Amino acid sequence: MAVAGLAVAAVVVLALLVGVHRYLWRRFVGDTTAEGSALRAAGTVAVYLLPLLSIGALVAGRTGAPFWLQRVLAWPGYLWLAALLYLTLALLVGEAVRPILRRVLAGRANESSRSNRPSVTKVLTPEAADAPAAPAADILVADAPAADTLAVPTRRLFVARAVGGAAAVAGLGTVGHGTYGVLRGPRVKRITVPLAKLPRSAHGFRIAVVSDIHLGPILGRAHTQRIVDTINRTQPDLVAVVGDLVDGTVADLGPAAEPLARLSARRGSFFVTGNHEYYSGAAQWIDHVRELGLHPLENARVEVDGFDLAGVNDIAGESEGRGPDFDRALGDRDRTRAAVLLAHQPVVIHDAVAHGVDLQLSGHTHGGQLWPGNLIAGLANPTVAGLDRYGDTQLYVSRGAGAWGPPVRVGAPSDITVVELASRQA
């Protein structure tokens, strides 16, 4: 049954992609270019080639393709997925504008035709001067066709090119701006979270939270270095890397992760796994980040300046028998102490509440990454981004510092969050 369901879903997705690409071809190519022209041929090739590059980019990493091939396919393949979304949305908006523009142009053409129609002057020859006047119907044998009738094909082409051009500018401009936001690096966000059980001595303790860095065929060592430099400038007391560090193996991405060794925090840097680590060899990555100086919390807990810092494995680890174990991480602790939990996915908040956690720090959602993806993320996660409260437990979800798939963010800017803990006793 499961295989049949996946097959049906695959067919539906394939049909949708074919339909969307056909729609884009019609509006951007078929309606705006002449049959047999070089522009139409180039547009047709692009509509067939770009989705193949996207499929290649999605499949290459999962099938163990050489890393150089993944990098070749990633940029055009993933960027086209983002462009496909926003070009389609822009064209759909254009469908509402198209008939209005046609009516406006037709009205102007009719007004111009009426104002420019020549008047008829009756010229009399000497012989006709003495003849009885002819009726007007005899003088005007036939009217010329209206000017706007001949202009209809031109108007349609103009409208098609105007709407298509505007949609292209809007869609590709959105993707370009979103790509710049990712490549520029995350910005620092600061919040203060009061904890009832936090001792006065820990008041003002600052945790730099970074999630979803997603090192891979697009985001590499320079991306890591930007993140490390940004975190170090905040001078945190502790750094929390809450999962989805990588999209690839240690062999391919180990050098890209090396700048993490230069993270600087008074109480050190800690790491928990995300779901993408389990697609990339989680055990090897845990060993590698430990070599870089980070402290992996695999269903474990440490005491930090008057409160407990705990971490659990991601839910995806259940497929390897290494999923989250809240009893092991939190079961025997002193509940009179404040507890901060690092857990990649927000959906485990109910387990955190049951175990008396005061604050859970998560990522995973990317804040939706590509609008309107935030609406879809909201269906699968209790909180998409920001700070929420569930009973006596607060949950903070970071939008993440990188991007998965398309290196593009729209409506969900990347961030590194400095969480300042506040004692109510202070």
Side-chain angles (χ1 to χ4, degrees):
M1 292 295 291
V3 175
L6 289 175
V8 171
V11 170
V12 171
V13 170
L14 182 60
L16 180 62
L17 286 175
V18 170
V20 170
H21 280 88
R22 173 63 182 169
Y23 172 63
L24 260 64
W25 180 90
R26 178 187 169 193
R27 288 309 192 199
F28 282 124
V29 181
D31 290 351
T32 62
T33 60
E35 188 172 353
S37 67
L39 283 175
R40 177 167 291 198
T44 302
V45 170
V47 167
Y48 279 99
L49 178 61
L50 289 170
L52 293 178
L53 291 174
S54 296
I55 293 172
L58 290 168
V59 171
R62 297 297 181 91
T63 58
F67 193 60
W68 66 265
L69 179 59
Q70 295 181 41
R71 298 185 69 178
V72 168
L73 294 172
W75 273 105
Y78 283 130
L79 281 177
W80 175 243
L81 290 177
L84 179 65
L85 171 62
Y86 291 108
L87 288 174
T88 302
L89 291 176
L91 281 178
L92 291 176
V93 173
E95 296 298 344
V97 176
R98 192 181 301 271
I100 298 173
L101 186 56
R102 283 177 178 170
R103 283 197 295 270
V104 170
L105 292 176
R108 289 183 177 179
N110 288 334
E111 291 177 2
S112 176
S113 175
R114 286 193 297 268
S115 63
N116 293 331
R117 181 173 295 173
S119 60
V120 178
T121 303
K122 186 176 180 180
V123 180
L124 299 178
T125 62
E127 293 78 8
D130 299 328
D138 293 336
I139 297 174
L140 300 177
V141 177
D143 284 334
D148 63 293
T149 302
L150 295 177
V152 166
T154 303
R155 283 206 309 274
R156 287 178 177 171
L157 181 61
F158 174 80
V159 169
R161 289 178 173 175
V163 173
V169 170
L172 298 179
T174 299
V175 172
H177 184 267
T179 302
Y180 169 74
V182 171
L183 299 182
R184 174 198 61 197
R187 292 295 187 251
V188 174
K189 181 179 179 181
R190 299 176 186 272
I191 64 169
T192 300
V193 181
L195 301 181
K197 291 183 268 184
L198 190 73
R200 183 187 297 267
S201 60
H203 180 74
F205 191 95
R206 289 171 299 120
I207 303 174
V209 180
V210 59
S211 73
D212 302 281
I213 295 173
H214 284 289
L215 300 178
I218 291 180
L219 300 176
R221 187 185 182 99
H223 179 62
T224 312
Q225 189 61 59
R226 282 191 294 270
I227 290 170
V228 169
D229 291 342
T230 302
I231 291 175
N232 287 346
R233 282 195 295 269
T234 69
Q235 298 181 322
D237 296 301
L238 183 147
V239 177
V241 182
V242 288
D244 278 8
L245 171 64
V246 293
D247 283 307
T249 65
V250 172
D252 290 333
L253 295 173
E258 286 178 358
L260 294 174
R262 293 190 283 276
L263 283 171
S264 177
R266 182 175 61 84
R267 294 308 307 269
S269 302
F270 294 82
F271 169 81
V272 293
T273 55
N275 52 309
H276 282 248
E277 271 71 62
Y278 293 96
Y279 311 147
S280 309
Q284 291 78 16
W285 274 110
I286 289 170
D287 290 340
H288 189 64
V289 298
R290 185 180 286 113
E291 293 171 1
L292 294 175
L294 281 73
H295 307 287
L297 290 175
E298 298 181 84
N299 299 320
R301 180 180 77 251
V302 295
E303 294 184 3
V304 179
D305 287 9
F307 66 93
D308 294 333
L309 179 72
V312 292
N313 295 344
D314 186 71
I315 299 170
E318 293 174 348
S319 62
E320 302 178 9
R322 303 175 65 181
D325 188 337
F326 286 86
D327 288 334
R328 180 179 168 190
L330 296 160
D332 59 348
R333 75 179 192 87
D334 179 1
R335 289 206 177 194
T336 63
R337 292 168 55 86
V340 176
L341 174 69
L342 309 183
H344 178 64
Q345 298 197 40
V347 293
V348 301
I349 182 61
H350 303 296
D351 293 290
V353 172
H355 287 81
V357 169
D358 297 275
L359 173 64
Q360 176 180 318
L361 301 174
S362 298
H364 183 64
T365 68
H366 297 206
Q369 185 169 324
L370 297 171
W371 183 91
N374 58 308
L375 303 178
I376 299 173
L379 298 175
N381 296 276
T383 297
V384 175
L387 185 66
D388 270 336
R389 176 178 289 276
Y390 296 84
D392 293 330
T393 303
Q394 297 181 79
L395 168 65
Y396 179 76
V397 180
S398 168
R399 290 189 178 95
W404 180 81
V408 183
R409 282 178 171 266
V410 177
S414 57
D415 68 64
I416 293 167
T417 304
V418 176
V419 177
E420 183 171 328
L421 305 181
S423 170
R424 291 182 177 173
Q425 303 172 27

PDB file of all heavy atoms in Angstrom, residues 371-383:
ATOM      1  N   TRP A 371       8.223  31.937   0.581  1.00  0.00           N
ATOM      2  CA  TRP A 371       6.799  32.235   0.685  1.00  0.00           C
ATOM      3  C   TRP A 371       6.055  31.706  -0.538  1.00  0.00           C
ATOM      4  O   TRP A 371       6.571  31.827  -1.658  1.00  0.00           O
ATOM      5  CB  TRP A 371       6.599  33.751   0.776  1.00  0.00           C
ATOM      6  CG  TRP A 371       5.150  34.120   0.966  1.00  0.00           C
ATOM      7  CD1 TRP A 371       4.502  34.300   2.139  1.00  0.00           C
ATOM      8  CD2 TRP A 371       4.185  34.335  -0.072  1.00  0.00           C
ATOM      9  NE1 TRP A 371       3.180  34.609   1.896  1.00  0.00           N
ATOM     10  CE2 TRP A 371       2.963  34.636   0.547  1.00  0.00           C
ATOM     11  CE3 TRP A 371       4.232  34.281  -1.472  1.00  0.00           C
ATOM     12  CZ2 TRP A 371       1.800  34.890  -0.179  1.00  0.00           C
ATOM     13  CZ3 TRP A 371       3.072  34.533  -2.186  1.00  0.00           C
ATOM     14  CH2 TRP A 371       1.879  34.839  -1.541  1.00  0.00           C
ATOM     15  N   PRO A 372       4.907  31.050  -0.384  1.00  0.00           N
ATOM     16  CA  PRO A 372       4.102  30.849   0.823  1.00  0.00           C
ATOM     17  C   PRO A 372       4.394  29.544   1.559  1.00  0.00           C
ATOM     18  O   PRO A 372       3.486  28.938   2.131  1.00  0.00           O
ATOM     19  CB  PRO A 372       2.681  30.852   0.260  1.00  0.00           C
ATOM     20  CG  PRO A 372       2.833  30.201  -1.094  1.00  0.00           C
ATOM     21  CD  PRO A 372       4.177  30.632  -1.605  1.00  0.00           C
ATOM     22  N   GLY A 373       5.659  29.121   1.557  1.00  0.00           N
ATOM     23  CA  GLY A 373       6.034  27.901   2.265  1.00  0.00           C
ATOM     24  C   GLY A 373       5.775  27.952   3.747  1.00  0.00           C
ATOM     25  O   GLY A 373       5.628  26.914   4.400  1.00  0.00           O
ATOM     26  N   ASN A 374       5.701  29.170   4.320  1.00  0.00           N
ATOM     27  CA  ASN A 374       5.417  29.292   5.751  1.00  0.00           C
ATOM     28  C   ASN A 374       4.032  28.730   6.088  1.00  0.00           C
ATOM     29  O   ASN A 374       3.809  28.217   7.185  1.00  0.00           O
ATOM     30  CB  ASN A 374       5.513  30.751   6.185  1.00  0.00           C
ATOM     31  CG  ASN A 374       4.570  31.651   5.407  1.00  0.00           C
ATOM     32  OD1 ASN A 374       4.554  31.635   4.171  1.00  0.00           O
ATOM     33  ND2 ASN A 374       3.795  32.445   6.110  1.00  0.00           N
ATOM     34  N   LEU A 375       3.100  28.802   5.133  1.00  0.00           N
ATOM     35  CA  LEU A 375       1.767  28.253   5.372  1.00  0.00           C
ATOM     36  C   LEU A 375       1.812  26.732   5.439  1.00  0.00           C
ATOM     37  O   LEU A 375       1.138  26.105   6.260  1.00  0.00           O
ATOM     38  CB  LEU A 375       0.809  28.703   4.261  1.00  0.00           C
ATOM     39  CG  LEU A 375       0.685  30.223   4.066  1.00  0.00           C
ATOM     40  CD1 LEU A 375      -0.244  30.529   2.915  1.00  0.00           C
ATOM     41  CD2 LEU A 375       0.206  30.883   5.352  1.00  0.00           C
ATOM     42  N   ILE A 376       2.633  26.133   4.578  1.00  0.00           N
ATOM     43  CA  ILE A 376       2.781  24.675   4.597  1.00  0.00           C
ATOM     44  C   ILE A 376       3.533  24.233   5.844  1.00  0.00           C
ATOM     45  O   ILE A 376       3.159  23.258   6.497  1.00  0.00           O
ATOM     46  CB  ILE A 376       3.510  24.213   3.322  1.00  0.00           C
ATOM     47  CG1 ILE A 376       2.699  24.607   2.084  1.00  0.00           C
ATOM     48  CG2 ILE A 376       3.753  22.707   3.350  1.00  0.00           C
ATOM     49  CD1 ILE A 376       3.409  24.351   0.780  1.00  0.00           C
ATOM     50  N   ALA A 377       4.600  24.968   6.190  1.00  0.00           N
ATOM     51  CA  ALA A 377       5.363  24.629   7.397  1.00  0.00           C
ATOM     52  C   ALA A 377       4.490  24.714   8.636  1.00  0.00           C
ATOM     53  O   ALA A 377       4.668  23.950   9.592  1.00  0.00           O
ATOM     54  CB  ALA A 377       6.570  25.559   7.525  1.00  0.00           C
ATOM     55  N   GLY A 378       3.542  25.650   8.628  1.00  0.00           N
ATOM     56  CA  GLY A 378       2.657  25.801   9.778  1.00  0.00           C
ATOM     57  C   GLY A 378       1.737  24.611   9.980  1.00  0.00           C
ATOM     58  O   GLY A 378       1.262  24.369  11.096  1.00  0.00           O
ATOM     59  N   LEU A 379       1.478  23.850   8.914  1.00  0.00           N
ATOM     60  CA  LEU A 379       0.631  22.663   9.044  1.00  0.00           C
ATOM     61  C   LEU A 379       1.367  21.507   9.713  1.00  0.00           C
ATOM     62  O   LEU A 379       0.730  20.629  10.302  1.00  0.00           O
ATOM     63  CB  LEU A 379       0.151  22.212   7.651  1.00  0.00           C
ATOM     64  CG  LEU A 379      -0.709  23.210   6.868  1.00  0.00           C
ATOM     65  CD1 LEU A 379      -1.003  22.672   5.475  1.00  0.00           C
ATOM     66  CD2 LEU A 379      -1.994  23.510   7.626  1.00  0.00           C
ATOM     67  N   ALA A 380       2.707  21.511   9.633  1.00  0.00           N
ATOM     68  CA  ALA A 380       3.494  20.386  10.142  1.00  0.00           C
ATOM     69  C   ALA A 380       4.246  20.702  11.421  1.00  0.00           C
ATOM     70  O   ALA A 380       4.835  19.801  12.024  1.00  0.00           O
ATOM     71  CB  ALA A 380       4.487  19.933   9.068  1.00  0.00           C
ATOM     72  N   ASN A 381       4.238  21.960  11.854  1.00  0.00           N
ATOM     73  CA  ASN A 381       5.015  22.352  13.025  1.00  0.00           C
ATOM     74  C   ASN A 381       4.174  23.220  13.957  1.00  0.00           C
ATOM     75  O   ASN A 381       3.404  24.069  13.488  1.00  0.00           O
ATOM     76  CB  ASN A 381       6.259  23.135  12.590  1.00  0.00           C
ATOM     77  CG  ASN A 381       7.213  22.293  11.775  1.00  0.00           C
ATOM     78  OD1 ASN A 381       8.038  21.566  12.311  1.00  0.00           O
ATOM     79  ND2 ASN A 381       7.108  22.394  10.446  1.00  0.00           N
ATOM     80  N   PRO A 382       4.325  23.049  15.264  1.00  0.00           N
ATOM     81  CA  PRO A 382       3.551  23.860  16.201  1.00  0.00           C
ATOM     82  C   PRO A 382       3.909  25.340  16.129  1.00  0.00           C
ATOM     83  O   PRO A 382       3.063  26.207  16.311  1.00  0.00           O
ATOM     84  CB  PRO A 382       3.906  23.261  17.567  1.00  0.00           C
ATOM     85  CG  PRO A 382       5.229  22.595  17.365  1.00  0.00           C
ATOM     86  CD  PRO A 382       5.202  22.078  15.961  1.00  0.00           C
ATOM     87  N   THR A 383       5.178  25.634  15.865  1.00  0.00           N
ATOM     88  CA  THR A 383       5.650  27.012  15.701  1.00  0.00           C
ATOM     89  C   THR A 383       6.575  27.041  14.495  1.00  0.00           C
ATOM     90  O   THR A 383       7.466  26.198  14.379  1.00  0.00           O
ATOM     91  CB  THR A 383       6.391  27.504  16.951  1.00  0.00           C
ATOM     92  OG1 THR A 383       5.486  27.521  18.058  1.00  0.00           O
ATOM     93  CG2 THR A 383       6.958  28.898  16.750  1.00  0.00           C
TER      94      THR A 383
END
